[in-house]
Amino acid sequence: GVFVTPLLLVLFLGKSIEVELGAVFLKLAKVVFVPVAIGQLLRLSARVRKTTAELKGPRKNLSETILILLIFNTFCNTFLGGGTVLARPDLLALFVGLP
């Protein structure tokens, strides 16, 4: 997904952008690496392990729901930002091309 999505955008829209790698890695660290590290540290606690074992079913449903909402939010923000116009054939090609 990380490599295919930009490729598809360039192929279908013919647009590319410049990206500051330092800013991307900093944001990635804040959004992904720090929460994962905190989660891994919390797993060392017996109390946390016991609580998560008790909430396994509801936690899985909540996790999946949050993931779907994040994807939906990103999709909506992409098209609300303006300047992005996709015709129906382009959208169809994107969805058909997705694994």
Side-chain angles (χ1 to χ4, degrees):
V2 173
F3 299 105
V4 175
T5 301
L7 179 62
L8 287 173
L9 288 174
V10 169
L11 288 174
F12 289 112
L13 300 177
K15 294 182 181 180
S16 63
I17 60 168
E18 296 291 324
V19 177
E20 292 183 34
L21 286 180
V24 169
F25 284 120
L26 182 62
K27 186 172 183 179
L28 186 63
K30 286 193 278 186
V31 172
V32 177
F33 297 130
V34 172
V36 168
I38 291 171
Q40 292 301 316
L41 289 173
L42 286 173
R43 290 181 66 187
L44 298 174
S45 166
R47 182 177 179 193
V48 171
R49 280 196 310 265
K50 180 183 175 196
T51 303
T52 55
E54 293 170 356
L55 298 173
K56 189 171 188 173
R59 185 187 53 172
K60 183 179 180 204
N61 292 338
L62 178 65
S63 173
E64 291 172 355
T65 303
I66 290 172
L67 181 60
I68 289 170
L69 289 173
L70 284 171
I71 293 168
F72 179 73
N73 184 41
T74 302
F75 183 80
C76 290
N77 285 339
T78 299
F79 292 101
L80 286 177
T84 305
V85 178
L86 289 176
R88 285 185 182 147
D90 294 332
L91 283 174
L92 180 63
L94 283 173
F95 286 116
V96 170
L98 294 175

